[in-house]
Amino acid sequence: MIPTDETWFEGTDECWLAGPAVASVLGRRIELPDDDAVRTVARDLALLRRRHGIVEPAAGPTLRLVRDPSRTDLTAEGFEVTADGDDLVLTAGGGPGLGYGFWRLLTCGPEALTGPQVPAYRVRMLNHWDNLVAQELGQVERGYAGGSIFFADGRVRADLTRVRDYARLVACLGINAVAVNNVNVHEAETRLLTDHLDGVARVAGVLAEYGLSTYLAVSFASPVTLGDLDTADPLDPRVVAWWSETTRRVAARVPTFGGYVVKADSEGRPGPFTYGRSHSDGANLLADALAPYGGTVFWRAFVYDHRQDWRDRGTDRARAAYDHFLPLDGTFRDNVVLQVKHGPMDFQVREPVSPLLLGLRETSLACELQITQEYTGQQRHAVYLGPCWSQVLAFPTGLTDTVPPLRDVLRQPHRPRSGLTAVANVGTDRTWTGHPFAQANLYAYGRLAWDPALDPTDVLREWAAATYEPTVAEAVVEILAGSWLTYERYTAPLGVGWMVQPHHHYGPSVDGYEYSPWGTYHFADRDGVGVDRTVATGTGCTAQYPPEVARVYESLADCPDELLLFFHHVPYTHVLHSGATVIQHVYDTHVAGYDEVVAMVRRWEEVAPLVPEPTRSEVTVRFAEQVRSAAEWRDQVSTYFWRKSGVPDAHGRVIP
Ligand code: GCW
């Protein structure tokens, strides 16, 4: 279906296709090649012109799109924009590159695009945790932006306009794959493989207009859940035949089917362990079924004991992914990608990099980030995560120069299916992401997946300039640039993590997970706090890192302050590199973090009158909540540690 103006979703106007580059590019004559690859561009161009009231001029500077197969340096996905007098030439090596180039040009204009633009990774994926029907945690698990853009009333939506707009927005960033459903696969979503295949094909068709392939999250027990077999044993020939036939049907119906995403033996999900088989047996089963169609299985490494006894000090959740998967390196098929969360725990505001990402040598890797702000303010708090991800990708910056940065590990030629993936933060919300500023995170993820070496503040500026008028953009950049560190200051300190309210994970509860089965403890007592993960006296987690990094983390003297309580249990009087004691650090940072939120709000108030409604109110309301919540965090965390330690604030502040 060709969308009309009426079906152009308005949220697109408050996103990064709203900046000055759009009018400046549309103000040119645009010459498109006679090429199927630009069919979508041609259609959308007409729509955009109507929407912006810009008529194509009869003469004047042109923009020429050229596909030049001899430009192998650009690969199929890359492009280059060059000037030819007043004209612009967008050259791409292949069809996808023409699309990415065109949308990028509309987002940030030609000045930002000097030299060849080639994506660093082949994998640049988004994972949606969308359910067909609402579950306990809502329709989108850990979603803070409304319902699913793909599904409604237990089936694929009839109207996929928003999917089309979403695909266009992420194509501006060069995203090339979308997994449409939750990795926690319930029975209803298992039927995406069968009853809903037509719907999946329709979604995939829309995503394909923008060069995106479609992935499905599947349950390892699908053959049993669907009632076809009484086993899902990966070595049983009937199971092998079942996956092969099922995959054949999906691939036949969905030409741009990319493959499967699997959460197995994780948080109660079924997996190969039930049958005494290994995770390579499980992953290879699906990989073989996908191989004839060039498909890939993204197999998640998020495997740990979620029924731990808190009294058991020998089990360390942070070790689990490495302990399970490192011994399997080299046993996976080429089309298996191990999908590893960026930290060893679970998307906390601060974690070390997962040692598994550094330890695996042979296996293709997708580093999984979380754009949806499960543990970082749930899109009610303004928290720009670009700097966090950029640090992850640059790791081990500053610790040793003998280990290559993670961003390079993810692009080693012998494991070409590696790259980045991330849990998406969009939904049916008017501005896509709940908090309008949370768009910055989706934008930054896409840009870093294209070029992981980008400066996250530059990316933030780029997003703001493409979204808001200049005065507002400047303020928004100031507000967001340091907001991740601000959030860290008023929440769990020094890398210890958690301290959130159980289940929904919003707001403070210092002991919320302390006596739980989830393996998430801080071990605060009257003398000190932190988790001893050293080899010398603790769980030995530090030994999972390359030796140069392990040495730094093992050493109380050298461990970076921000990760001190992740790796060490220390007395409250322990002096940090910053010169403050641990307890004083807790008091000071919580006051500072709250004060920074208040300053963010003041800056917002200066420009809020320039922002149209309802965006203005949407942001204002969320800032009021962030101030309230930051005060609650400050007071609960400070009071908790004052009561535990009995050490007063050196600055004489009264702790409630
Ligand atoms: O962070 C946890 C979330 C779960 C999620 C799980 C995972 C999809 O609380 O909601 O389940 O991680 O990543 O599998």
Side-chain angles (χ1 to χ4, degrees):
M1 181 188 80
I2 302 221
T4 63
D5 267 5
E6 287 68 47
T7 61
W8 182 280
F9 173 57
E10 295 201 339
T12 304
D13 297 339
E14 290 192 46
C15 230
W16 48 83
L17 274 178
V22 177
S24 94
V25 173
L26 295 184
R28 295 173 171 267
R29 289 188 306 130
I30 299 184
E31 289 174 16
L32 301 178
D34 183 15
D35 190 327
D36 258 10
V38 292
R39 236 188 345 191
T40 304
V41 167
R43 179 198 68 197
D44 285 4
L45 192 54
L47 266 175
L48 271 163
R49 285 198 190 282
R50 279 213 296 282
R51 190 144 186 99
H52 288 264
I54 300 172
V55 179
E56 176 154 13
T62 61
L63 164 65
R64 264 196 322 277
L65 272 63
V66 179
R67 167 132 69 141
D68 179 356
S70 74
R71 289 292 305 271
T72 47
D73 61 313
L74 295 176
T75 72
E77 295 189 306
F79 62 90
E80 183 165 11
V81 179
T82 47
D84 176 10
D86 287 343
D87 295 343
L88 289 177
V89 184
L90 164 55
T91 308
L98 278 180
Y100 292 137
F102 181 73
W103 296 113
R104 192 89 224 106
L105 202 51
L106 284 180
T107 309
C108 62
E111 303 76 24
L113 297 170
T114 43
Q117 312 288 316
V118 179
Y121 305 128
R122 174 157 148 200
V123 171
R124 306 184 302 281
M125 187 170 186
L126 284 162
N127 287 98
H128 287 258
W129 285 354
D130 293 18
N131 302 313
L132 278 165
V133 287
Q135 301 287 330
E136 221 189 327
L137 288 164
Q139 193 189 10
V140 179
E141 181 156 341
R142 311 303 180 185
Y144 313 104
S148 167
I149 60 171
F150 303 113
F151 313 123
D153 307 321
R155 49 168 54 91
V156 173
R157 285 176 182 277
D159 179 358
L160 294 176
T161 308
R162 290 188 67 154
V163 174
R164 180 172 283 109
D165 289 340
Y166 174 62
R168 186 186 305 112
L169 286 171
V170 299
C172 296
L173 312 172
I175 297 291
N176 63 1
V178 173
V180 292
N181 64 301
N182 189 0
V183 290
N184 287 334
V185 186
H186 313 92
E187 190 193 333
E189 293 94 46
T190 303
R191 296 187 184 280
L192 288 171
L193 290 169
T194 53
D195 312 10
H196 300 289
L197 207 45
D198 282 347
V200 172
R202 281 194 298 113
V203 170
V206 171
L207 294 174
E209 292 174 13
Y210 296 88
L212 301 161
S213 58
T214 298
Y215 283 76
L216 292 175
V218 292
S219 159
F220 195 73
S222 299
V224 179
T225 312
L226 291 173
D228 294 333
L229 298 176
D230 58 7
T231 178
D233 180 350
L235 300 191
D236 186 314
R238 292 170 301 157
V239 175
V240 174
W242 189 93
W243 278 108
S244 148
E245 173 55 18
T246 300
T247 308
R248 187 195 61 73
R249 271 190 292 103
V250 177
R253 194 70 195 79
V254 184
T256 51
F257 179 52
Y260 298 129
V261 180
V262 190
K263 171 176 178 177
D265 293 315
S266 166
E267 299 186 331
R269 297 288 126 191
F273 285 166
T274 309
Y275 306 97
R277 310 298 185 196
S278 75
H279 275 244
S280 36
D281 293 333
N284 291 344
L285 163 75
L286 300 183
D288 289 344
L290 287 161
Y293 319 101
T296 306
V297 56
F298 286 80
W299 189 269
R300 294 177 90 229
F302 188 53
V303 177
Y304 69 97
D305 180 3
H306 72 291
R307 296 206 183 93
Q308 195 181 322
D309 183 342
W310 59 267
R311 298 166 197 84
D312 162 19
R313 297 292 293 259
T315 304
D316 179 4
R317 171 165 165 182
R319 293 186 54 125
Y322 186 99
D323 285 343
H324 281 297
F325 286 95
L326 198 84
L328 301 179
D329 197 17
T331 64
F332 294 102
R333 303 277 193 268
D334 284 351
N335 59 334
V336 174
V337 176
L338 219 51
Q339 181 164 324
V340 185
K341 291 193 183 191
H342 69 79
M345 294 297 272
D346 194 6
F347 303 133
Q348 300 305 291
V349 65
R350 173 83 68 171
E351 290 188 40
V353 165
S354 163
L356 185 60
L357 288 167
L358 305 173
L360 291 166
R361 292 278 181 270
E362 304 302 327
T363 312
S364 289
L365 292 169
C367 171
E368 181 179 320
L369 307 174
Q370 194 183 42
I371 313 174
T372 196
Q373 291 170 239
E374 176 178 359
Y375 294 100
T376 49
Q378 305 200 348
Q379 277 132 264
R380 285 183 255 181
H381 296 218
V383 179
Y384 174 55
L385 293 167
C388 168
W389 300 331
S390 168
Q391 270 192 25
V392 166
L393 292 164
F395 186 83
T397 316
L399 295 187
T400 165
D401 52 14
T402 58
V403 178
L406 178 61
R407 62 177 180 238
D408 292 348
V409 171
L410 296 174
R411 58 189 299 190
Q412 288 168 338
H414 73 280
R415 33 185 177 180
R417 293 185 198 231
S418 299
L420 281 186
T421 189
V423 186
N425 64 345
V426 306
T428 52
D429 171 67
R430 196 184 65 84
T431 57
W432 300 99
T433 52
H435 200 313
F437 293 173
Q439 284 179 11
N441 289 327
L442 180 59
Y443 188 91
Y445 166 69
R447 296 290 288 128
L448 290 172
W450 184 276
D451 182 355
L454 288 171
D455 176 319
T457 308
D458 289 347
V459 172
L460 179 63
R461 282 196 202 99
E462 205 182 275
W463 165 75
T467 309
Y468 296 106
E469 60 109 312
T471 316
V472 177
E474 198 187 321
V476 171
V477 170
E478 281 172 36
I479 288 166
L480 289 179
S483 57
W484 166 54
L485 295 178
T486 294
Y487 186 82
E488 180 183 36
R489 287 186 190 106
Y490 64 80
T491 58
L494 298 166
V496 77
W498 309 96
M499 302 191 173
V500 288
Q501 297 209 17
H503 194 58
H504 58 69
H505 301 166
Y506 184 76
S509 176
V510 180
D511 279 341
Y513 273 109
E514 196 56 18
Y515 304 100
S516 81
W518 296 93
T520 47
Y521 316 116
H522 55 65
F523 299 119
D525 59 22
R526 66 181 177 180
D527 300 318
V529 57
V531 190
D532 185 352
R533 295 194 162 106
T534 62
V535 172
T537 51
T539 67
C541 180
T542 56
Q544 296 181 332
Y545 286 87
E548 305 86 330
V549 177
R551 194 199 54 72
V552 175
Y553 287 159
E554 177 78 11
S555 153
L556 185 57
D558 295 338
C559 184
D561 285 353
E562 67 273 13
L563 289 172
L564 185 72
L565 302 184
F566 190 94
F567 288 113
H568 296 270
H569 183 90
V570 297
Y572 293 116
T573 50
H574 174 84
V575 179
L576 298 167
H577 295 123
S578 71
T581 60
V582 165
I583 189 73
Q584 194 56 41
H585 172 93
V586 169
Y587 297 149
D588 290 349
T589 51
H590 282 77
V591 169
Y594 171 81
D595 290 350
E596 284 163 26
V597 175
V598 171
M600 283 159 72
V601 178
R602 285 215 192 91
R603 189 70 182 94
W604 163 248
E605 283 164 353
E606 285 167 23
V607 294
L610 301 174
V611 177
E613 288 290 9
T615 306
R616 187 197 312 160
S617 298
E618 285 168 0
V619 174
T620 301
V621 163
R622 282 172 175 79
F623 267 135
E625 166 55 16
Q626 188 171 359
V627 172
R628 186 206 63 78
S629 176
E632 201 57 32
W633 270 102
R634 178 197 59 194
D635 294 342
Q636 285 201 28
V637 174
S638 303
T639 302
Y640 179 94
F641 284 106
W642 155 235
R643 289 182 186 172
K644 281 267 167 182
S645 70
V647 180
D649 175 22
H651 302 305
R653 284 169 299 215
V654 177
I655 298 168

